[in-house]
Every structure is written in structure tokens, then in C-alpha cells.
Amino acid sequence: GRERDVAWSFPGGANNIWPLLYRQMVRDSENDPISGLATIGNRLVVFTPSAIHMGGPPNDLGQMAIRPISQGIGFASHWGVTQVVHGGQAALMGVNADGVYVIGAGGQPQPVLPRWDQVISGGVNVERIDQAVVVNNQQRKRLYIAIAGWDEDDNRTILEFDYQSN
């Protein structure tokens, strides 16, 4: 279905006729739908709760292949991911059911907070993890994460997370 498709236009004037010229289905081993999109530099990152795929860079015709770079670890929601500079490189940092992960261009996701119960007594409400929201304060190198604790139905828990020290 459409919740697993990424569609894009030709990068020029010809897209006046065919606004969505290319389409690719993104699949993961859990058959999860796409939970969000982001970029690292000029690379498109497509993620599901259980996988991360990377596309690009596009060729002269605007075609790009979107391939899985991580199976088993993904990001739970579009709003739960932000761009950061981590280790001097552009990266994405985001939440999943386990904790907070970072991924650079072409790399594997690495845990920066491997378990929620390290900072939230009882962990998080995994049924509501797709509603988590992350904001990056680039000057202070901190993430602010709004998330539902294990006994909450909405994002009542706010974490301030220093990603410079991780």
C-alpha cells in the first residue's frame, strides 16, 4: 500500500507533466509502514519502526535507489527524529521502543541511550512511542524529548538529554 511507498519528481522542468515520476516501495522484515523521512546531507533517509533505509544521491535523471541499511532498529515517528552534528558529522538522532539512537550517512545506528529505564523509572509506554517528539538545541547539544512514561497515555514526561557527552 501507499504507506510503504516513496514517490518523487524529476528534478527539472519536465515534472510539470508528470509531478510524481518515480516511486519505490520500502520494505522491512516486519512489514512495517513508513514512520518518517529525513535527510542527512544530500541523502534521503526513510525509516520504519524496525528498519532504516537510505536513498541517493540521485543520478542525472533523478532516479535513486532506496536500500535498507539497518534491519531490526528503526525510528518510531517522524516527529521523534532530528538532525544533529554528532562526532563532527551530520547525523540523525531519534527514539524507538528501546531508547535513543544516532545514525550517520551510510552508518549503522548506534545507541546513545540504550534503555529508557536508565532515565525513566519503568521505561516508556511503547504503545505510544509513535507520539514522541524530539527537539534539538544545537547550541547546547541537547535533545528535549517529550514522551509517555510507562504509566502515561500522553507525552507528560520531558527529558533533557545531553548528546555531546555520548
Side-chain angles (χ1 to χ4, degrees), residues 16-68:
N16 293 335
I17 300 170
W18 298 287
L20 296 176
L21 187 60
Y22 302 119
R23 181 178 304 271
Q24 182 174 337
M25 182 176 280
V26 173
R27 297 179 188 251
D28 68 20
S29 59
E30 301 296 320
N31 201 28
D32 285 330
I34 294 170
S35 55
L37 303 167
T39 58
I40 302 175
N42 66 348
R43 309 293 296 267
L44 175 66
V45 180
V46 181
F47 43 89
T48 71
S50 57
I52 299 173
H53 300 73
M54 191 170 289
N59 66 17
D60 291 342
L61 297 175
Q63 296 172 318
M64 71 177 147
I66 301 172
R67 293 186 167 75

Side-chain angles (χ1 to χ4, degrees), residues 82-85 93 134-145 159-164:
T82 188
Q83 294 180 356
V84 298
V85 176
M93 199 169 284
V134 174
V135 176
N136 178 17
N137 181 328
Q138 295 178 355
Q139 289 75 28
R140 295 184 65 208
K141 305 291 189 229
R142 294 183 186 270
L143 292 186
Y144 297 92
I145 303 170
L159 299 173
E160 181 179 1
F161 183 77
D162 177 0
Y163 63 86
Q164 184 68 25

